[in-house]
Amino acid sequence: MTLPQNQSPAEFEYYVNATSIEEACRALGDGVGTILAGGSDLWVQKDEGVKIFGPRLINISRVDELAEISIGNDHVRLGARVTMTDILNHGELGNIAPGLLEAANRFASPQIRNVATVGGNFANASPAADSVIPLICLDAEIELARLDGNAVAIRSIPSADFFTGPGKTVRTDDELITAISFKPRDGKSLARFFKSGPRPALEISIVSLGIAADILDGKLSNVRIALGAVAPIPFRARKTEALIEGQKIDDKLIHAALECLVSEISPIGDVRGSKWYRQHLARTYLQEALTDVA
Ligand SMILES: Cc1cc2nc3c(=O)[nH]c(=O)nc-3n(C[C@H](O)[C@H](O)[C@H](O)COP(=O)(O)OP(=O)(O)OC[C@H]3O[C@@H](n4cnc5c(N)ncnc54)[C@H](O)[C@@H]3O)c2cc1C
């Protein structure tokens, strides 16, 4: 359906205040709905006319179950409507997922953090999305719900397979992101998040890098390295992960890993940073993380 580019909220055909997942899925059912979470991307994109939205605006800010953070023995579940401020204020979550805490801490400004949701960060699919990077490092799964007949059907997608291009994901138009969940690492582990930018707030990443791994006897295992803003989608540096996996972290290995990472990424150069500068930042962040372990 084609819509005029400069819709004001009143120009959306319907405005649904969903109060349950089922209600939101029902409103999304015919694929012409647009979910409104915090609105920090949606309103900007609407005003700039960069995105055409379905005419039925579905506000999910009253769906309480989407705002829950639940922490079990071997499972953490963040409702899609959990905000960056919720992550920062949740005492326990920061210990379980320090990389995610750091990403929330470097996210935008306090005002934006109060509204920006983790579900919106995934659905918007920016290659520079911050909360996505530590969650990919945690092998997080994206939970998607849609109405199948009269019942809500759920499927889960690994976060690393969720993105297909800038602003594009495997989510279909009738699907609602309901949660992002992951298994916490137990034992001694590494979890870091780095983000470039001259200011501590309101910076879109020139490059971000997340790394997570289990640490035993100076060796890293189950290594995950993800980068933002170096590719059309959040990028997993699988070759560098494989090179580090199970190896003792010494100067020789660090040197080889940095060379591998630089050869593995091919970022664009733009007004915010040249290709060389982005590769240099990625290299520097990985060096810091590995040197600290060594
Ligand atoms: C000034 C400013 C600074 C910013 N700084 C940062 C930053 O530092 N780091 C960063 O990563 N981002 C940043 N952003 C971008 C934005 O804040 C984030 O992407 C945020 O997480 C989006 O969440 P939201 O709840 O506001 O999403 P919305 O704007 O409500 O929605 C974004 C998109 O996702 C869809 N959507 C939202 N929730 C769901 C759902 N549950 N299921 C299906 N689809 C859904 C919407 O339909 C829309 O297409 C910034 C934005 C602004 C305006």
Side-chain angles (χ1 to χ4, degrees):
M1 186 167 303
T2 310
L3 291 169
Q5 293 222 336
N6 287 317
Q7 299 158 318
S8 73
E11 287 162 343
F12 283 96
E13 198 176 298
Y14 300 108
Y15 186 89
V16 178
N17 262 323
T19 54
S20 67
I21 289 173
E22 187 187 334
E23 211 180 322
C25 288
R26 197 171 294 283
L28 273 174
D30 52 10
V32 297
T34 299
I35 296 291
L36 170 65
S40 62
D41 279 318
L42 190 74
W43 292 137
V44 176
Q45 291 164 358
K46 184 193 76 63
D47 289 346
E48 290 175 350
V50 293
K51 226 171 181 176
I52 303 292
F53 298 103
R56 185 179 307 128
L57 192 64
I58 304 155
N59 181 6
I60 55 168
S61 65
R62 293 184 190 173
V63 185
D64 292 342
E65 52 196 309
L66 293 179
E68 286 166 9
I69 298 178
S70 59
I71 301 182
N73 282 344
D74 62 354
H75 196 71
V76 176
R77 190 172 184 277
L78 309 175
R81 205 162 70 67
V82 165
T83 65
M84 299 305 139
T85 300
D86 294 334
I87 291 170
L88 287 171
N89 289 348
H90 192 283
E92 216 183 327
L93 192 57
N95 296 329
I96 295 170
L100 179 62
L101 187 77
E102 185 58 24
N105 195 34
R106 293 295 311 275
F107 200 103
S109 62
Q111 291 90 337
I112 299 287
R113 281 176 222 145
N114 286 343
V115 296
T117 63
V118 67
N121 207 218
F122 272 86
N124 188 58
S126 160
D130 285 331
S131 72
V132 164
I133 297 300
L135 285 164
I136 288 178
C137 290
L138 285 162
D139 289 335
E141 297 262 324
I142 316 306
E143 190 182 286
L144 295 159
R146 58 183 279 275
L147 210 60
D148 186 7
N150 270 332
V152 173
I154 303 279
R155 66 173 178 140
S156 281
I157 305 285
S159 47
D161 301 336
F162 186 66
F163 304 98
T164 54
K168 293 193 170 65
T169 71
V170 298
R171 183 183 84 85
T172 55
D173 287 343
D174 61 349
E175 283 181 316
L176 173 75
I177 299 177
T178 45
I180 290 99
S181 58
F182 61 89
K183 196 174 170 305
R185 285 177 184 259
D186 41 42
K188 196 174 173 200
S189 63
L190 166 71
R192 302 284 301 271
F193 173 81
F194 302 87
K195 172 176 172 174
S196 61
R199 295 182 303 202
L202 280 175
E203 275 303 334
I204 298 172
S205 293
I206 301 172
V207 164
S208 60
L209 181 142
I211 180 166
D214 302 326
I215 309 178
L216 191 62
D217 299 332
K219 294 178 183 169
L220 299 184
S221 58
N222 297 316
V223 182
R224 298 287 181 272
I225 300 171
L227 295 102
V230 300
I233 58 172
F235 180 78
R236 214 170 123 197
R238 291 178 194 266
K239 287 183 187 158
T240 312
E241 289 173 1
L243 191 135
I244 296 169
E245 183 71 34
Q247 303 298 318
K248 185 127 188 108
I249 305 296
D250 55 20
D251 287 349
K252 196 170 158 216
L253 186 84
I254 293 175
H255 179 75
L258 301 183
E259 293 304 307
C260 183
L261 182 70
V262 169
S263 69
E264 196 176 0
I265 56 172
S266 188
I268 55 161
D270 62 15
V271 284
R272 293 186 307 112
S274 64
K275 175 178 176 177
W276 175 86
Y277 185 54
R278 286 193 156 97
Q279 285 176 324
H280 173 72
L281 285 174
R283 187 189 166 95
T284 306
Y285 294 151
L286 185 62
Q287 184 171 26
E288 184 176 331
L290 294 181
T291 307
D292 283 355
V293 175

